[in-house]
Amino acid sequence: LFVDLLVNSISGLFSEDDVATLTLYIVQDVCLVIDVIVLFLIFFNTYVFKAGLVWVIIRKFKSTVAVSLLYLGFCLAYHI
């Protein structure tokens, strides 16, 4: 998240160049989507998930998933 916030801060430096700003936002959003996908792939490959105890994973990582999805939503809203 720190690197992502740093990218958002640096994007103000490229405010005159629309192409650079757009490219930076697209790369940032793609990285955030990949981050969420990797998070769910890690969940799906655990023994607990394969054993059918999805509620254990949901209970333990509810805040992590919520923060990741919320931050992705905020970034998408900010970039649009």
Side-chain angles (χ1 to χ4, degrees):
L1 286 175
F2 176 72
V3 173
D4 200 41
L5 290 172
L6 184 67
V7 168
N8 278 338
S9 299
I10 291 175
S11 69
L13 298 174
F14 298 116
S15 62
E16 292 129 13
D17 189 11
D18 292 335
V19 174
T21 305
L22 182 63
T23 305
L24 191 64
Y25 286 162
I26 289 172
V27 168
Q28 182 183 12
D29 291 339
V30 167
C31 287
L32 285 172
V33 169
I34 289 172
D35 176 47
V36 171
I37 289 171
V38 167
L39 180 68
F40 282 110
L41 285 175
I42 290 171
F43 290 158
F44 296 153
N45 287 326
T46 62
Y47 176 75
V48 176
F49 186 85
K50 290 178 184 177
L53 301 172
V54 179
W55 59 272
V56 174
I57 294 176
I58 291 172
R59 187 180 61 194
K60 190 168 187 175
F61 295 102
K62 183 179 7 178
S63 61
T64 303
V65 172
V67 167
S68 295
L69 293 176
L70 190 66
Y71 189 69
L72 176 64
F74 282 149
C75 283
L76 287 175
Y78 175 70
H79 295 158
I80 294 175

